[in-house]
Amino acid sequence: MDLKKNYIGKALFVGGVSLTLCGQALMLSTPVMNNIVSVAHADQVAPTTTNIEIHKTMYDKADANFFEQEQNKIKNDGTQKDSTFNNKLFHYNPTTMGKVEFTLYDITDQINKVYADGKGLTGFTAGQSKEAQGRVAEISKDIDANGAKSKFLTGATVVGTKAIDGSGNVRFENVKAYDASKPQKYHYYAAVETKTPKGFVVSKAKPIVFVNPYTNPNGDGFLSTTYLYPKN
């Protein structure tokens, strides 16, 4: 493994879609959802695998406008948020609301096929972050509109499909992260809700597009488990 190129990156968030920017030997000032600028230090070695845990939540339809407000959105920085839920947000209950499944796709090769400039999602400087955000938004929109027929999912590797547990969570273990064989050295993923219950008014979660691994909030290490909260 080429450790010299296996450096720390930083997280970027686009309207509920999560993207981790992992630069090679870069000091990045990366804007995130709440407009706070963080610096990622290029002195850490990224892991080759991590765990990914997806949490489906729910809230009363009457509170939809509340959750559209920026300060009330969950910040997908990879850390566990359950203990900080406000009293309007709940864990999804499959027993009363119906079974939900998530499929995790490795879309690394598809992204590099569609975007043939060699940048993927991580080959941008801080000043080019809007271009990276645009790609993430385009990928999420295409998957949301076309499902399994999306150009980003067609031919993609299915890491696994799992039903959420009683707490609304699903966990994928040993998910590939740093990989010297890939053009930008990292794996790109889409977490997609692929089974939604019928007979209930339940919002399908928006696809989450992200780069593995995530850095910790301090930017001085990597998360061994990344916790993600899809936007409904």
Side-chain angles (χ1 to χ4, degrees):
M1 182 171 68
D2 185 357
L3 297 181
K4 292 183 179 179
K5 294 183 178 180
N6 193 5
Y7 294 104
I8 203 165
K10 199 59 188 175
L12 174 70
F13 307 94
V14 188
V17 178
S18 306
L19 167 65
T20 298
L21 297 179
C22 300
Q24 296 181 8
L26 297 177
M27 290 288 289
L28 298 181
S29 294
T30 304
V32 295
M33 180 180 287
N34 58 2
N35 296 320
I36 296 174
V37 177
S38 301
V39 176
H41 302 283
D43 59 358
Q44 299 290 326
V45 176
T48 56
T49 63
T50 70
N51 302 317
I52 305 297
E53 192 164 299
I54 300 166
H55 294 239
K56 185 172 176 65
T57 57
M58 62 183 184
Y59 53 82
D60 193 298
K61 188 177 180 180
D63 294 321
N65 289 335
F66 174 85
F67 287 103
E68 286 299 321
Q69 299 175 30
E70 200 67 29
Q71 68 271 20
N72 298 324
K73 294 179 181 179
I74 294 178
K75 180 182 176 183
N76 270 310
D77 60 5
T79 61
Q80 196 165 13
K81 303 294 183 182
D82 303 48
S83 62
T84 64
F85 280 4
N86 63 57
N87 59 11
K88 297 178 184 291
L89 188 65
F90 310 96
H91 293 282
Y92 181 87
N93 187 334
T95 302
T96 58
M97 301 302 294
K99 185 178 179 180
V100 168
E101 292 181 347
F102 281 91
T103 299
L104 185 64
Y105 296 89
D106 185 330
I107 59 174
T108 311
D109 295 340
Q110 283 64 36
I111 285 177
N112 280 292
K113 180 180 179 181
V114 174
Y115 304 112
D117 58 5
K119 291 184 177 181
L121 299 180
T122 61
F124 298 92
T125 66
Q128 298 171 322
S129 62
K130 286 186 177 180
E131 188 173 353
Q133 292 180 49
R135 289 189 176 185
V136 173
E138 179 183 1
I139 295 166
S140 179
K141 184 178 180 180
D142 191 86
I143 294 173
D144 200 27
N146 300 304
K149 295 182 179 180
S150 165
K151 59 187 175 184
F152 295 101
L153 298 187
T154 302
T157 300
V158 176
V159 177
T161 299
K162 293 185 177 182
I164 61 173
D165 62 21
S167 298
N169 310 328
V170 61
R171 183 180 177 91
F172 298 91
E173 297 186 332
N174 299 315
V175 177
K176 292 181 180 179
Y178 176 79
D179 186 344
S181 71
K182 295 302 178 181
Q184 294 86 39
K185 312 300 182 184
Y186 295 92
H187 281 260
Y188 307 138
Y189 293 94
V192 183
E193 185 176 317
T194 48
K195 182 178 178 63
T196 303
K198 297 180 180 180
F200 290 94
V201 180
V202 178
S203 297
K204 185 177 181 180
K206 296 294 184 181
I208 296 184
V209 177
F210 63 98
V211 182
N212 203 31
Y214 262 65
T215 61
N216 64 33
N218 294 328
D220 58 3
F222 292 90
L223 299 176
S224 58
T225 297
T226 296
Y227 300 90
L228 299 175
Y229 298 80
K231 179 181 178 181
N232 289 325

PDB file of all heavy atoms in Angstrom, residues 35-63:
ATOM      1  N   ASN A  35     -21.571  26.212   7.086  1.00  0.00           N
ATOM      2  CA  ASN A  35     -20.672  27.277   6.655  1.00  0.00           C
ATOM      3  C   ASN A  35     -19.455  27.469   7.549  1.00  0.00           C
ATOM      4  O   ASN A  35     -18.754  28.467   7.439  1.00  0.00           O
ATOM      5  CB  ASN A  35     -21.427  28.616   6.536  1.00  0.00           C
ATOM      6  CG  ASN A  35     -22.497  28.552   5.466  1.00  0.00           C
ATOM      7  OD1 ASN A  35     -22.282  27.973   4.417  1.00  0.00           O
ATOM      8  ND2 ASN A  35     -23.662  29.131   5.738  1.00  0.00           N
ATOM      9  N   ILE A  36     -19.196  26.534   8.431  1.00  0.00           N
ATOM     10  CA  ILE A  36     -17.973  26.578   9.224  1.00  0.00           C
ATOM     11  C   ILE A  36     -16.839  25.998   8.394  1.00  0.00           C
ATOM     12  O   ILE A  36     -16.982  24.953   7.776  1.00  0.00           O
ATOM     13  CB  ILE A  36     -18.132  25.785  10.537  1.00  0.00           C
ATOM     14  CG1 ILE A  36     -19.211  26.436  11.408  1.00  0.00           C
ATOM     15  CG2 ILE A  36     -16.820  25.688  11.279  1.00  0.00           C
ATOM     16  CD1 ILE A  36     -19.533  25.648  12.656  1.00  0.00           C
ATOM     17  N   VAL A  37     -15.714  26.661   8.370  1.00  0.00           N
ATOM     18  CA  VAL A  37     -14.583  26.188   7.576  1.00  0.00           C
ATOM     19  C   VAL A  37     -13.633  25.404   8.462  1.00  0.00           C
ATOM     20  O   VAL A  37     -13.199  25.876   9.507  1.00  0.00           O
ATOM     21  CB  VAL A  37     -13.843  27.372   6.924  1.00  0.00           C
ATOM     22  CG1 VAL A  37     -12.626  26.874   6.168  1.00  0.00           C
ATOM     23  CG2 VAL A  37     -14.765  28.113   5.979  1.00  0.00           C
ATOM     24  N   SER A  38     -13.324  24.182   8.057  1.00  0.00           N
ATOM     25  CA  SER A  38     -12.417  23.323   8.800  1.00  0.00           C
ATOM     26  C   SER A  38     -11.189  23.016   7.964  1.00  0.00           C
ATOM     27  O   SER A  38     -11.245  23.023   6.737  1.00  0.00           O
ATOM     28  CB  SER A  38     -13.115  22.008   9.176  1.00  0.00           C
ATOM     29  OG  SER A  38     -14.263  22.267   9.954  1.00  0.00           O
ATOM     30  N   VAL A  39     -10.089  22.735   8.619  1.00  0.00           N
ATOM     31  CA  VAL A  39      -8.849  22.414   7.920  1.00  0.00           C
ATOM     32  C   VAL A  39      -8.524  20.950   8.104  1.00  0.00           C
ATOM     33  O   VAL A  39      -8.541  20.432   9.214  1.00  0.00           O
ATOM     34  CB  VAL A  39      -7.682  23.269   8.450  1.00  0.00           C
ATOM     35  CG1 VAL A  39      -6.383  22.856   7.787  1.00  0.00           C
ATOM     36  CG2 VAL A  39      -7.939  24.751   8.195  1.00  0.00           C
ATOM     37  N   ALA A  40      -8.261  20.273   7.018  1.00  0.00           N
ATOM     38  CA  ALA A  40      -7.886  18.861   7.060  1.00  0.00           C
ATOM     39  C   ALA A  40      -6.379  18.751   6.960  1.00  0.00           C
ATOM     40  O   ALA A  40      -5.765  19.301   6.053  1.00  0.00           O
ATOM     41  CB  ALA A  40      -8.540  18.120   5.907  1.00  0.00           C
ATOM     42  N   HIS A  41      -5.779  18.042   7.865  1.00  0.00           N
ATOM     43  CA  HIS A  41      -4.331  17.921   7.897  1.00  0.00           C
ATOM     44  C   HIS A  41      -3.859  16.720   7.096  1.00  0.00           C
ATOM     45  O   HIS A  41      -4.378  15.626   7.234  1.00  0.00           O
ATOM     46  CB  HIS A  41      -3.852  17.787   9.351  1.00  0.00           C
ATOM     47  CG  HIS A  41      -4.260  18.948  10.199  1.00  0.00           C
ATOM     48  ND1 HIS A  41      -3.624  20.160  10.159  1.00  0.00           N
ATOM     49  CD2 HIS A  41      -5.275  19.097  11.091  1.00  0.00           C
ATOM     50  CE1 HIS A  41      -4.203  20.999  11.001  1.00  0.00           C
ATOM     51  NE2 HIS A  41      -5.210  20.373  11.581  1.00  0.00           N
ATOM     52  N   ALA A  42      -2.861  16.933   6.282  1.00  0.00           N
ATOM     53  CA  ALA A  42      -2.366  15.875   5.392  1.00  0.00           C
ATOM     54  C   ALA A  42      -1.269  15.068   6.069  1.00  0.00           C
ATOM     55  O   ALA A  42      -0.152  14.972   5.592  1.00  0.00           O
ATOM     56  CB  ALA A  42      -1.856  16.499   4.101  1.00  0.00           C
ATOM     57  N   ASP A  43      -1.566  14.481   7.225  1.00  0.00           N
ATOM     58  CA  ASP A  43      -0.519  13.753   7.935  1.00  0.00           C
ATOM     59  C   ASP A  43      -1.037  12.462   8.554  1.00  0.00           C
ATOM     60  O   ASP A  43      -0.395  11.892   9.421  1.00  0.00           O
ATOM     61  CB  ASP A  43       0.108  14.642   9.022  1.00  0.00           C
ATOM     62  CG  ASP A  43      -0.924  15.128  10.034  1.00  0.00           C
ATOM     63  OD1 ASP A  43      -2.127  14.797   9.867  1.00  0.00           O
ATOM     64  OD2 ASP A  43      -0.537  15.830  10.966  1.00  0.00           O
ATOM     65  N   GLN A  44      -2.207  11.987   8.121  1.00  0.00           N
ATOM     66  CA  GLN A  44      -2.784  10.778   8.675  1.00  0.00           C
ATOM     67  C   GLN A  44      -2.937   9.724   7.591  1.00  0.00           C
ATOM     68  O   GLN A  44      -3.098  10.032   6.423  1.00  0.00           O
ATOM     69  CB  GLN A  44      -4.159  11.091   9.285  1.00  0.00           C
ATOM     70  CG  GLN A  44      -4.120  12.103  10.414  1.00  0.00           C
ATOM     71  CD  GLN A  44      -3.461  11.550  11.653  1.00  0.00           C
ATOM     72  OE1 GLN A  44      -3.582  10.370  11.946  1.00  0.00           O
ATOM     73  NE2 GLN A  44      -2.757  12.401  12.379  1.00  0.00           N
ATOM     74  N   VAL A  45      -2.872   8.467   8.004  1.00  0.00           N
ATOM     75  CA  VAL A  45      -2.999   7.349   7.070  1.00  0.00           C
ATOM     76  C   VAL A  45      -4.427   6.812   7.134  1.00  0.00           C
ATOM     77  O   VAL A  45      -4.939   6.484   8.195  1.00  0.00           O
ATOM     78  CB  VAL A  45      -1.992   6.234   7.424  1.00  0.00           C
ATOM     79  CG1 VAL A  45      -2.192   5.040   6.509  1.00  0.00           C
ATOM     80  CG2 VAL A  45      -0.566   6.766   7.308  1.00  0.00           C
ATOM     81  N   ALA A  46      -5.059   6.727   5.979  1.00  0.00           N
ATOM     82  CA  ALA A  46      -6.457   6.288   5.915  1.00  0.00           C
ATOM     83  C   ALA A  46      -6.553   4.769   6.006  1.00  0.00           C
ATOM     84  O   ALA A  46      -5.700   4.050   5.492  1.00  0.00           O
ATOM     85  CB  ALA A  46      -7.092   6.774   4.619  1.00  0.00           C
ATOM     86  N   PRO A  47      -7.614   4.243   6.626  1.00  0.00           N
ATOM     87  CA  PRO A  47      -7.820   2.795   6.724  1.00  0.00           C
ATOM     88  C   PRO A  47      -8.294   2.213   5.396  1.00  0.00           C
ATOM     89  O   PRO A  47      -8.895   2.904   4.577  1.00  0.00           O
ATOM     90  CB  PRO A  47      -8.905   2.674   7.789  1.00  0.00           C
ATOM     91  CG  PRO A  47      -9.678   3.948   7.667  1.00  0.00           C
ATOM     92  CD  PRO A  47      -8.660   5.009   7.322  1.00  0.00           C
ATOM     93  N   THR A  48      -8.049   0.943   5.207  1.00  0.00           N
ATOM     94  CA  THR A  48      -8.486   0.266   3.978  1.00  0.00           C
ATOM     95  C   THR A  48      -9.939  -0.184   4.060  1.00  0.00           C
ATOM     96  O   THR A  48     -10.574  -0.392   3.022  1.00  0.00           O
ATOM     97  CB  THR A  48      -7.599  -0.944   3.675  1.00  0.00           C
ATOM     98  OG1 THR A  48      -7.612  -1.833   4.804  1.00  0.00           O
ATOM     99  CG2 THR A  48      -6.154  -0.502   3.404  1.00  0.00           C
ATOM    100  N   THR A  49     -10.481  -0.336   5.261  1.00  0.00           N
ATOM    101  CA  THR A  49     -11.893  -0.667   5.433  1.00  0.00           C
ATOM    102  C   THR A  49     -12.446   0.064   6.655  1.00  0.00           C
ATOM    103  O   THR A  49     -11.707   0.379   7.591  1.00  0.00           O
ATOM    104  CB  THR A  49     -12.138  -2.178   5.614  1.00  0.00           C
ATOM    105  OG1 THR A  49     -11.500  -2.626   6.821  1.00  0.00           O
ATOM    106  CG2 THR A  49     -11.624  -2.971   4.427  1.00  0.00           C
ATOM    107  N   THR A  50     -13.748   0.313   6.636  1.00  0.00           N
ATOM    108  CA  THR A  50     -14.451   0.866   7.794  1.00  0.00           C
ATOM    109  C   THR A  50     -15.838   0.239   7.843  1.00  0.00           C
ATOM    110  O   THR A  50     -16.223  -0.526   6.952  1.00  0.00           O
ATOM    111  CB  THR A  50     -14.611   2.398   7.711  1.00  0.00           C
ATOM    112  OG1 THR A  50     -15.546   2.721   6.685  1.00  0.00           O
ATOM    113  CG2 THR A  50     -13.277   3.093   7.429  1.00  0.00           C
ATOM    114  N   ASN A  51     -16.603   0.586   8.860  1.00  0.00           N
ATOM    115  CA  ASN A  51     -17.994   0.164   8.969  1.00  0.00           C
ATOM    116  C   ASN A  51     -18.909   1.346   8.657  1.00  0.00           C
ATOM    117  O   ASN A  51     -18.587   2.491   8.992  1.00  0.00           O
ATOM    118  CB  ASN A  51     -18.292  -0.354  10.375  1.00  0.00           C
ATOM    119  CG  ASN A  51     -17.389  -1.505  10.759  1.00  0.00           C
ATOM    120  OD1 ASN A  51     -17.133  -2.407   9.953  1.00  0.00           O
ATOM    121  ND2 ASN A  51     -16.891  -1.493  11.985  1.00  0.00           N
ATOM    122  N   ILE A  52     -20.042   1.061   8.025  1.00  0.00           N
ATOM    123  CA  ILE A  52     -21.018   2.088   7.675  1.00  0.00           C
ATOM    124  C   ILE A  52     -22.348   1.736   8.323  1.00  0.00           C
ATOM    125  O   ILE A  52     -22.854   0.629   8.141  1.00  0.00           O
ATOM    126  CB  ILE A  52     -21.214   2.185   6.143  1.00  0.00           C
ATOM    127  CG1 ILE A  52     -19.875   2.422   5.425  1.00  0.00           C
ATOM    128  CG2 ILE A  52     -22.225   3.282   5.812  1.00  0.00           C
ATOM    129  CD1 ILE A  52     -19.197   3.720   5.764  1.00  0.00           C
ATOM    130  N   GLU A  53     -22.900   2.664   9.089  1.00  0.00           N
ATOM    131  CA  GLU A  53     -24.186   2.436   9.742  1.00  0.00           C
ATOM    132  C   GLU A  53     -25.173   3.522   9.314  1.00  0.00           C
ATOM    133  O   GLU A  53     -24.899   4.714   9.469  1.00  0.00           O
ATOM    134  CB  GLU A  53     -24.025   2.426  11.260  1.00  0.00           C
ATOM    135  CG  GLU A  53     -25.256   1.903  11.990  1.00  0.00           C
ATOM    136  CD  GLU A  53     -24.960   1.521  13.431  1.00  0.00           C
ATOM    137  OE1 GLU A  53     -24.123   0.618  13.644  1.00  0.00           O
ATOM    138  OE2 GLU A  53     -25.546   2.134  14.332  1.00  0.00           O
ATOM    139  N   ILE A  54     -26.302   3.094   8.775  1.00  0.00           N
ATOM    140  CA  ILE A  54     -27.312   4.009   8.259  1.00  0.00           C
ATOM    141  C   ILE A  54     -28.504   4.018   9.215  1.00  0.00           C
ATOM    142  O   ILE A  54     -28.989   2.960   9.625  1.00  0.00           O
ATOM    143  CB  ILE A  54     -27.764   3.587   6.848  1.00  0.00           C
ATOM    144  CG1 ILE A  54     -26.550   3.596   5.904  1.00  0.00           C
ATOM    145  CG2 ILE A  54     -28.850   4.509   6.321  1.00  0.00           C
ATOM    146  CD1 ILE A  54     -26.801   2.886   4.589  1.00  0.00           C
ATOM    147  N   HIS A  55     -28.966   5.212   9.548  1.00  0.00           N
ATOM    148  CA  HIS A  55     -30.066   5.373  10.500  1.00  0.00           C
ATOM    149  C   HIS A  55     -31.239   6.053   9.808  1.00  0.00           C
ATOM    150  O   HIS A  55     -31.125   7.195   9.357  1.00  0.00           O
ATOM    151  CB  HIS A  55     -29.624   6.236  11.686  1.00  0.00           C
ATOM    152  CG  HIS A  55     -28.571   5.596  12.530  1.00  0.00           C
ATOM    153  ND1 HIS A  55     -28.750   5.332  13.871  1.00  0.00           N
ATOM    154  CD2 HIS A  55     -27.328   5.161  12.224  1.00  0.00           C
ATOM    155  CE1 HIS A  55     -27.655   4.756  14.349  1.00  0.00           C
ATOM    156  NE2 HIS A  55     -26.779   4.650  13.368  1.00  0.00           N
ATOM    157  N   LYS A  56     -32.373   5.360   9.736  1.00  0.00           N
ATOM    158  CA  LYS A  56     -33.581   5.962   9.162  1.00  0.00           C
ATOM    159  C   LYS A  56     -34.409   6.568  10.293  1.00  0.00           C
ATOM    160  O   LYS A  56     -34.665   5.919  11.303  1.00  0.00           O
ATOM    161  CB  LYS A  56     -34.413   4.928   8.400  1.00  0.00           C
ATOM    162  CG  LYS A  56     -35.627   5.558   7.685  1.00  0.00           C
ATOM    163  CD  LYS A  56     -36.311   4.552   6.783  1.00  0.00           C
ATOM    164  CE  LYS A  56     -37.579   5.150   6.144  1.00  0.00           C
ATOM    165  NZ  LYS A  56     -37.268   6.267   5.221  1.00  0.00           N
ATOM    166  N   THR A  57     -34.809   7.812  10.088  1.00  0.00           N
ATOM    167  CA  THR A  57     -35.584   8.518  11.096  1.00  0.00           C
ATOM    168  C   THR A  57     -36.961   8.884  10.532  1.00  0.00           C
ATOM    169  O   THR A  57     -37.224   8.726   9.346  1.00  0.00           O
ATOM    170  CB  THR A  57     -34.861   9.793  11.537  1.00  0.00           C
ATOM    171  OG1 THR A  57     -34.615  10.620  10.384  1.00  0.00           O
ATOM    172  CG2 THR A  57     -33.523   9.455  12.200  1.00  0.00           C
ATOM    173  N   MET A  58     -37.812   9.374  11.396  1.00  0.00           N
ATOM    174  CA  MET A  58     -39.132   9.810  10.958  1.00  0.00           C
ATOM    175  C   MET A  58     -39.607  10.947  11.854  1.00  0.00           C
ATOM    176  O   MET A  58     -39.121  11.138  12.974  1.00  0.00           O
ATOM    177  CB  MET A  58     -40.129   8.650  10.985  1.00  0.00           C
ATOM    178  CG  MET A  58     -40.380   8.042  12.338  1.00  0.00           C
ATOM    179  SD  MET A  58     -41.528   6.624  12.219  1.00  0.00           S
ATOM    180  CE  MET A  58     -41.718   6.207  13.968  1.00  0.00           C
ATOM    181  N   TYR A  59     -40.542  11.738  11.319  1.00  0.00           N
ATOM    182  CA  TYR A  59     -41.133  12.823  12.077  1.00  0.00           C
ATOM    183  C   TYR A  59     -42.543  13.070  11.558  1.00  0.00           C
ATOM    184  O   TYR A  59     -42.914  12.620  10.471  1.00  0.00           O
ATOM    185  CB  TYR A  59     -40.284  14.096  11.983  1.00  0.00           C
ATOM    186  CG  TYR A  59     -39.950  14.528  10.567  1.00  0.00           C
ATOM    187  CD1 TYR A  59     -40.852  15.267   9.794  1.00  0.00           C
ATOM    188  CD2 TYR A  59     -38.711  14.209  10.016  1.00  0.00           C
ATOM    189  CE1 TYR A  59     -40.536  15.653   8.512  1.00  0.00           C
ATOM    190  CE2 TYR A  59     -38.394  14.599   8.724  1.00  0.00           C
ATOM    191  CZ  TYR A  59     -39.308  15.328   7.978  1.00  0.00           C
ATOM    192  OH  TYR A  59     -39.004  15.706   6.695  1.00  0.00           O
ATOM    193  N   ASP A  60     -43.335  13.782  12.339  1.00  0.00           N
ATOM    194  CA  ASP A  60     -44.700  14.093  11.949  1.00  0.00           C
ATOM    195  C   ASP A  60     -44.692  15.017  10.735  1.00  0.00           C
ATOM    196  O   ASP A  60     -43.889  15.948  10.647  1.00  0.00           O
ATOM    197  CB  ASP A  60     -45.418  14.775  13.119  1.00  0.00           C
ATOM    198  CG  ASP A  60     -46.921  14.852  12.918  1.00  0.00           C
ATOM    199  OD1 ASP A  60     -47.355  15.503  11.944  1.00  0.00           O
ATOM    200  OD2 ASP A  60     -47.657  14.262  13.727  1.00  0.00           O
ATOM    201  N   LYS A  61     -45.591  14.754   9.799  1.00  0.00           N
ATOM    202  CA  LYS A  61     -45.674  15.576   8.589  1.00  0.00           C
ATOM    203  C   LYS A  61     -45.879  17.047   8.930  1.00  0.00           C
ATOM    204  O   LYS A  61     -45.427  17.936   8.203  1.00  0.00           O
ATOM    205  CB  LYS A  61     -46.807  15.065   7.703  1.00  0.00           C
ATOM    206  CG  LYS A  61     -46.880  15.714   6.338  1.00  0.00           C
ATOM    207  CD  LYS A  61     -47.994  15.101   5.481  1.00  0.00           C
ATOM    208  CE  LYS A  61     -48.054  15.758   4.105  1.00  0.00           C
ATOM    209  NZ  LYS A  61     -49.131  15.155   3.264  1.00  0.00           N
ATOM    210  N   ALA A  62     -46.542  17.303  10.039  1.00  0.00           N
ATOM    211  CA  ALA A  62     -46.802  18.683  10.462  1.00  0.00           C
ATOM    212  C   ALA A  62     -45.513  19.429  10.802  1.00  0.00           C
ATOM    213  O   ALA A  62     -45.493  20.671  10.839  1.00  0.00           O
ATOM    214  CB  ALA A  62     -47.744  18.698  11.665  1.00  0.00           C
ATOM    215  N   ASP A  63     -44.430  18.676  11.048  1.00  0.00           N
ATOM    216  CA  ASP A  63     -43.150  19.285  11.410  1.00  0.00           C
ATOM    217  C   ASP A  63     -42.189  19.389  10.232  1.00  0.00           C
ATOM    218  O   ASP A  63     -40.999  19.672  10.409  1.00  0.00           O
ATOM    219  CB  ASP A  63     -42.481  18.473  12.533  1.00  0.00           C
ATOM    220  CG  ASP A  63     -43.270  18.524  13.826  1.00  0.00           C
ATOM    221  OD1 ASP A  63     -43.800  19.605  14.148  1.00  0.00           O
ATOM    222  OD2 ASP A  63     -43.360  17.489  14.515  1.00  0.00           O
TER     223      ASP A  63
END
